[in-house]
């Protein structure tokens, strides 16, 4: 049985560490230039090196995105940047453009190249073309069905990667011009303003200022707003398809999102493998994925062509059942106390859940908190305030504290 790589997004160094510690086999990340997520934190060059080294220290991999569609002005600095990334020890670069591919082959011939989903590889002949050029991997277009993926796998030897979870772009393979037209920010050069999430009305030319009733509610309609992809219930089919890498979307998502989603997919993949392919789905996995910020879930194009049921017309808001409130920095087994960095207002008496890599979640009440000087406090209101608190079970660094939204509580 081929065990697929679990590939996680890393929008900054903290998210990179969280993703790898919570079970990712590899991460993909971008520098300050040449990537399609210009508004995520991204990495300075010295941070790229730190991230690559951290991944390698765990026996894992790091891929660098260079997936813009460059104009002539972008090419001047590109060769030196690719050389620098190769010298850092990156395991591959992810590219969309043939010109970038050509330059990479010239200046860093030993550096593996992955072909981005932006390159729109929707058939086996295209994938075979990239294989013949020397690509190590092709990230398939999101518009493919599982049957399409199986056929491509039969026809090619190159590694195949596909998205299995996260936000879906409303435009074909992410090739969107709406942001460029409305704001001057070019989505294909990493500057998307996400106008697909905005509210819209229709206005007829001869009646300026009159908003026509195509709305789903009084605030507007969200005609471009896709549901989020989620394939956790279909892992056997995905593994049997021959995919080499399962990709999670979300370089602009929170550390809570990255850690939770990666932990769920890691547990599910490991459970499938350890059971010899007998997959017993746990409802708690889906419940975990409801705890992070997301839109309603869909299976995208994998099993049928998308319909209006895969869009959200009534809202652009996200759903989540839990709030991330703290990150464990240290734990003292002698005192049973954890050092916690506050990420949201937290109070003594609140019932919280603690999630940590490689261990089961547990629920406890915050019995006491102490500030940096050791004084007892009832509330930690300050962003990133350092506090200590007793915990009911041992915890590890990067364990996360979260609480249910007020209307939910713990059952």
């Amino acid at each position: 049985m081929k065990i697929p790589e679990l590939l996680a997004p890393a929008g900054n160094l903290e998210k990179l560490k969280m993703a790898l510690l919570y079970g990712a086999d590899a991460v993909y990340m971008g520098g300050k230039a040449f990537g399609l997520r210009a508004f995520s934190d991204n990495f300075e060059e010295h941070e790229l090196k730190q991230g690559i080294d951290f991944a390698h220290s765990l026996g894992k991999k790091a891929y660098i995105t260079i997936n813009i569609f460059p104009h002539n002005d972008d090419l001047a600095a590109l060769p030196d940047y690719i050389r620098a990334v190769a010298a850092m020890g990156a395991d591959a670069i992810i590219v969309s453009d043939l010109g970038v591919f050509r330059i990479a082959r010239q200046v860093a011939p030993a550096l593996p190249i992955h072909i981005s989903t932006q390159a729109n590889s929707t058939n086996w002949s295209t994938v075979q073309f990239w294989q013949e050029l020397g690509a190590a991997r092709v990230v398939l277009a999101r518009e493919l069905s599982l049957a399409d993926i199986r056929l491509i796998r039969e026809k090619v030897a190159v590694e195949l990667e596909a998205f299995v979870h996260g936000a879906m772009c409303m435009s074909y393979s992410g090739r969107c011009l709406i942001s460029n037209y409305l704001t001057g920010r070019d989505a294909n050069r990493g500057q998307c303003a996400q106008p697909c999430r905005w509210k819209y009305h229709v206005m007829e030319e001869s009646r300026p200022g009159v908003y026509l009733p195509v709305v789903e509610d009084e605030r507007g309609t969200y005609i471009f707003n896709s549901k989020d992809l989620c394939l956790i219930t279909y892992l056997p089919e995905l593994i049997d398809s021959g995919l080499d890498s399962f990709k999670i979307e979300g370089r602009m998502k929170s550390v809570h999102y990255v850690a939770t989603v990666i932990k769920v997919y890691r547990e599910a993949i490991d459970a499938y493998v350890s059971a010899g392919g007998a997959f017993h789905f746990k409802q708690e996995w889906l419940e975990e994925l409801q705890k992070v910020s997301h839109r309603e879930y869909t299976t995208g194009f994998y099993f049928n062509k998308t319909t209006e049921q895969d869009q959200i017309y009534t809202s652009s808001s996200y759903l989540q059942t839990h709030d991330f409130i703290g990150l464990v920095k240290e734990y003292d087994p002698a005192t049973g106390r954890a050092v916690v960095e506050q990420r949201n207002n937290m109070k003594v008496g609140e019932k919280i859940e603690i999630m940590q890599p490689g261990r089961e979640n547990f629920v406890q009440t915050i019995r006491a908190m102490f500030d940096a000087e050791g004084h007892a406090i009832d509330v930690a209101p300050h962003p990133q305030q350092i506090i200590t608190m007793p915990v009911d079970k041992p915890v590890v660094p990067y364990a996360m504290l979260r609480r249910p939204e007020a209307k939910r509580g713990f059952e």
Side-chain angles (χ1 to χ4, degrees):
M1 179 194 303
K2 180 193 294 183
I3 303 173
E5 169 190 84
L6 181 57
L7 177 58
N12 58 34
L13 199 54
E14 182 182 47
K15 294 174 188 177
L16 177 146
K17 291 179 179 179
M18 295 291 281
L20 294 170
L21 291 172
Y22 275 81
D25 299 304
V27 291
Y28 61 101
M29 54 183 173
K32 294 293 185 180
F34 306 115
L36 284 178
R37 288 294 180 268
F39 300 122
S40 64
D41 293 342
N42 291 324
F43 292 71
E44 301 286 354
E45 285 199 23
H46 71 278
E47 292 176 322
L48 286 176
K49 174 62 173 168
Q50 290 178 46
I52 293 168
D53 289 346
F54 184 81
H56 291 173
S57 74
L58 299 176
K60 301 183 178 186
K61 295 181 178 181
Y63 310 134
I64 312 301
T65 58
I66 309 180
N67 57 345
I68 66 166
F69 290 97
H71 292 214
N72 290 325
D73 292 345
D74 298 313
L75 298 182
L78 185 58
D80 286 342
Y81 182 71
I82 294 174
R83 290 188 189 98
V85 166
M88 293 174 195
D91 295 284
I93 57 174
I94 305 170
V95 312
S96 304
D97 180 74
L98 275 167
V100 176
F101 188 104
R102 175 180 174 274
I103 291 171
R105 271 286 172 259
Q106 290 178 332
V107 304
L111 181 61
I113 299 177
H114 296 178
I115 307 304
S116 170
T117 190
Q118 299 288 131
N120 187 211
S121 298
T122 57
N123 62 77
W124 62 262
S125 184
T126 299
V127 176
Q128 200 167 79
F129 166 80
W130 287 115
Q131 176 181 306
E132 291 166 358
L133 279 185
R137 177 183 296 181
V138 175
V139 187
L140 297 172
R142 300 192 197 209
E143 293 79 21
L144 293 181
S145 68
L146 200 59
D148 291 327
I149 292 171
R150 290 194 182 107
L151 179 58
I152 293 171
R153 177 73 287 164
E154 291 173 6
K155 297 280 189 178
V156 303
V158 69
E159 290 185 1
L160 299 178
E161 176 181 309
F163 283 93
V164 300
H165 192 95
M168 297 277 286
C169 182
M170 52 74 63
S171 187
Y172 198 77
S173 283
R175 295 180 176 185
C176 186
L177 297 177
I178 301 175
S179 177
N180 204 337
Y181 179 77
L182 293 179
T183 71
R185 295 180 181 179
D186 191 342
N188 297 309
R189 301 177 77 188
Q191 299 173 346
C192 184
Q194 294 196 320
C196 55
R197 311 303 185 201
W198 298 353
K199 305 171 187 176
Y200 291 91
H201 290 79
V202 169
M203 186 170 63
E204 200 270 327
E205 182 180 11
S206 65
R207 289 182 281 178
V210 177
Y211 297 103
L212 301 180
V214 298
V215 297
E216 296 293 332
D217 62 25
E218 71 279 4
R219 294 167 301 184
T221 189
Y222 305 85
I223 55 176
F224 302 132
N225 205 24
S226 173
K227 294 181 179 180
D228 282 0
L229 181 66
C230 177
L231 295 174
I232 188 65
T233 57
Y234 296 97
L235 279 183
E237 292 90 337
L238 290 170
I239 292 173
D240 290 345
S241 73
L243 285 170
D244 296 276
S245 181
F246 292 173
K247 190 169 195 170
I248 308 297
E249 183 277 337
R251 275 194 287 153
M252 296 178 70
K253 298 291 182 66
S254 69
V255 291
H256 180 219
Y257 175 94
V258 171
T260 301
V261 173
I262 290 300
K263 185 179 182 185
V264 167
Y265 277 84
R266 176 79 280 149
E267 289 181 2
I269 292 169
D270 290 350
Y272 179 83
V273 172
S274 63
F279 186 61
H280 301 289
F281 180 76
K282 295 181 180 180
Q283 188 62 29
E284 65 193 57
W285 291 332
L286 195 55
E287 292 171 0
E288 279 292 297
L289 295 177
Q290 302 290 341
K291 293 178 181 179
V292 298
S293 178
H294 68 285
R295 295 181 180 89
E296 292 178 46
Y297 287 130
T298 175
T299 56
F301 294 84
Y302 276 82
F303 300 100
N304 48 260
K305 291 185 178 181
T306 57
T307 69
E308 70 278 1
Q309 298 303 316
D310 297 287
Q311 297 294 115
I312 306 172
Y313 297 110
T314 59
S315 172
S316 65
S317 62
Y318 287 84
L319 308 170
Q320 70 180 76
T321 63
H322 286 61
D323 295 321
F324 170 41
I325 61 172
L327 183 69
V328 172
K329 309 295 283 186
E330 301 174 27
Y331 172 71
D332 184 350
T335 63
R337 289 186 181 183
V339 177
V340 176
E341 182 180 275
Q342 184 261 41
R343 295 298 178 91
N344 208 326
N345 186 296
M346 49 198 291
K347 300 180 178 69
V348 172
E350 288 184 320
K351 186 171 282 190
I352 63 169
E353 182 179 38
I354 298 181
M355 178 183 75
Q356 51 188 329
R359 303 185 183 187
E360 289 188 1
N361 302 350
F362 66 93
V363 174
Q364 72 159 68
T365 299
I366 300 178
R367 303 191 305 275
M369 292 192 298
F370 305 89
D371 64 18
E373 287 72 41
H375 302 131
I377 56 176
D378 293 325
V379 60
H382 307 300
Q384 296 187 295
Q385 181 177 357
I386 301 298
I387 59 112
T388 59
M389 58 179 286
V391 290
D392 292 353
K393 297 180 182 180
V395 293
V396 298
Y398 293 97
M400 306 182 78
L401 281 60
R402 60 191 182 188
R403 64 168 173 246
E405 294 177 338
K407 63 183 179 181
R408 297 179 186 276
F410 286 101
E411 295 182 357

